[in-house]
Amino acid sequence: MYDVIIIGGGPAGLVAGLYSTRARLACLLIESRTIFSQAITTERIENYPGFPNGIESFELIDRMKEQAKGFGLEFAFGDVKGFTKQGERWIVNLEDKDYESKTVVVATGASPKKLGISGEAEFCGRGVSYCATCDGPLFSDKDIVVVGGGDTALEEAIFLTKFAKKVVIIHRRDKLRATKLLQERAFSNEKIEFVWDSKLLEIFGKDGVEGVRIKDLKTEQESQLLCHGVFLFIGLTPNTDFLMGEVELDEAGYIITDDEMKTSANGIFAAGDCRKKSFRQIITAASDGALASFSAQRYIEG
Ligand code: NAP
């Protein structure tokens, strides 16, 4: 039996693993094969302290992994289907295997939201994407549409200008939600154009994406924009479906915790983007991970 099982291999989970193994707890981190940390969908991280020139997201995660492994963190792979309490133990169920633990830290993060319009599912992987780092190089010298006005949309639009001929950002309002620094960079980038107060109605094409149909929300006028790629960055959905009924979630599905990362279930803690919080960053995920581990230790000590 483990002392701590961590579900999720992003910054929150890895830091929980680092702190737990350094506390000499028997600790297993279960990493999904299908869900990836949001951290690696960004090419370069510029706001994690200690790296004055920034660091590639993959390298940062690899370094966190190496550090935790060095202190004895064990890894398993698979998607957790649920967990149940048996006496003082939690049984964590994967597709083909169960693990037992005194405590569980849920650090499953969040995944990109879908727009739910015609053509989105049909052209997914054939022009529609939710990850610029993964798919950006496929759009060399092509026209791209980006949807969203948050940090992700702007950061990824700027990244996509490395490859694309032109990037058009379509936003449903006339003000961006993104950090001012990213706004300044996007506004001064010659390859980026904005379409304000507009929403996507449809993504169309034949073998791949050929364009989008847009509606101006102020004038109600519809128009078409030809493009080869559509990148959707309209926010996140927490990866918490498997928790339904076990711990308290808010209306959007985020896990409700107290300041010490305790959930409504005894022995279950949550950390990172899957938790209800106001600021989702790598540094806040790391901080959650450390706190969740500390709270798990205190819980085990009784
Ligand atoms: P976000 O901050 O929730 O922004 C989502 C954007 O998509 C908003 O501009 C929103 O419009 C728009 N949107 C939402 N639903 C829509 C819909 N149905 N149709 C059209 N547009 C829609 O999400 P995010 O940008 O993915 O960021 C998630 C979190 O990660 C944030 O906390 C962010 O700060 C953080 N993050 C940080 C960094 C960084 O520090 N470098 C990088 C990436 C992400 P409205 O503005 O009108 O609501």
Side-chain angles (χ1 to χ4, degrees):
M1 177 162 69
Y2 288 97
D3 294 311
V4 186
I5 284 184
I6 298 160
I7 310 173
L14 290 168
V15 172
L18 173 67
Y19 275 72
S20 300
T21 48
R22 281 177 56 82
R24 296 291 181 241
L25 298 175
C27 182
L28 173 75
L29 186 149
I30 301 172
E31 204 172 348
S32 169
R33 285 202 183 88
T34 51
I35 300 169
F36 303 100
S37 165
Q38 280 305 295
I40 61 157
T41 59
T42 297
E43 188 214 17
R44 208 166 177 77
I45 312 284
E46 288 183 341
N47 53 3
Y48 196 78
F51 302 97
N53 301 317
I55 179 164
E56 278 187 22
S57 54
F58 280 100
E59 194 187 341
L60 181 62
I61 297 291
D62 276 352
R63 284 184 181 215
M64 287 185 181
K65 212 174 256 184
E66 279 313 303
Q67 198 174 355
K69 263 188 192 167
F71 287 101
L73 181 62
E74 291 178 37
F75 286 81
F77 295 89
D79 289 319
V80 173
K81 298 294 168 203
F83 44 66
T84 45
K85 192 150 195 187
Q86 277 184 13
E88 291 302 299
R89 305 166 304 165
W90 283 96
I91 314 294
V92 179
N93 319 115
L94 272 68
E95 300 94 336
D96 52 354
K97 203 169 176 173
D98 293 341
Y99 291 99
E100 286 180 23
S101 182
K102 293 176 189 162
T103 64
V104 176
V105 174
V106 181
T108 44
S111 296
K113 258 193 210 159
K114 305 275 190 292
L115 205 45
I117 56 167
S118 164
E120 181 180 11
E122 186 186 345
F123 293 112
C124 189
R126 294 190 296 138
V128 172
S129 172
Y130 305 86
C131 177
T133 322
C134 321
D135 299 327
L138 303 172
F139 296 91
S140 181
D141 212 27
K142 301 266 197 289
D143 289 336
I144 292 177
V145 158
V146 164
V147 182
D151 282 337
T152 309
L154 263 62
E155 205 163 66
E156 303 310 285
I158 294 163
F159 173 71
L160 286 167
T161 60
K162 282 189 179 184
F163 316 99
K165 190 158 71 183
K166 186 172 74 177
V167 176
V168 179
I169 300 178
I170 299 175
H171 184 38
R172 64 182 177 182
R173 293 189 291 141
D174 62 358
K175 282 196 179 58
L176 297 166
R177 183 180 289 277
T179 315
K180 289 282 179 276
L181 176 74
L182 290 174
Q183 294 195 26
E184 286 163 18
R185 285 184 188 167
F187 289 141
S188 63
N189 190 314
E190 287 176 356
K191 283 190 178 179
I192 296 182
E193 288 174 17
F194 285 86
V195 174
W196 301 106
D197 299 306
S198 298
K199 73 169 188 180
L200 245 61
L201 297 175
E202 182 195 359
I203 300 166
F204 61 83
K206 271 194 195 138
D207 298 329
V209 168
E210 291 174 7
V212 291
R213 202 155 58 81
I214 310 169
K215 182 174 184 176
D216 184 311
L217 296 167
K218 285 201 166 147
T219 63
E220 301 266 308
Q221 281 213 323
E222 291 184 18
S223 59
Q224 281 193 356
L225 188 62
L226 300 183
C227 63
H228 301 94
V230 180
F231 284 76
L232 301 166
F233 303 115
I234 59 162
L236 303 169
T237 306
N239 300 316
T240 55
D241 283 356
F242 70 102
L243 292 172
M244 297 279 186
E246 284 302 340
V247 302
E248 196 184 343
L249 308 175
D250 75 0
E251 63 289 344
Y254 289 100
I255 303 167
I256 296 175
T257 67
D258 67 6
D259 290 349
E260 295 176 331
M261 309 299 126
K262 287 184 200 155
T263 70
S264 60
N266 266 340
I268 306 285
F269 305 86
D273 283 4
C274 61
R275 181 174 93 74
K276 181 180 170 133
K277 60 198 274 191
S278 58
F279 200 39
R280 293 193 169 81
Q281 300 280 307
I282 295 177
I283 195 164
T284 60
S287 161
D288 284 3
L291 258 170
S293 165
F294 180 65
S295 296
Q297 286 168 48
R298 292 221 299 211
Y299 174 86
I300 292 165
E301 283 159 8

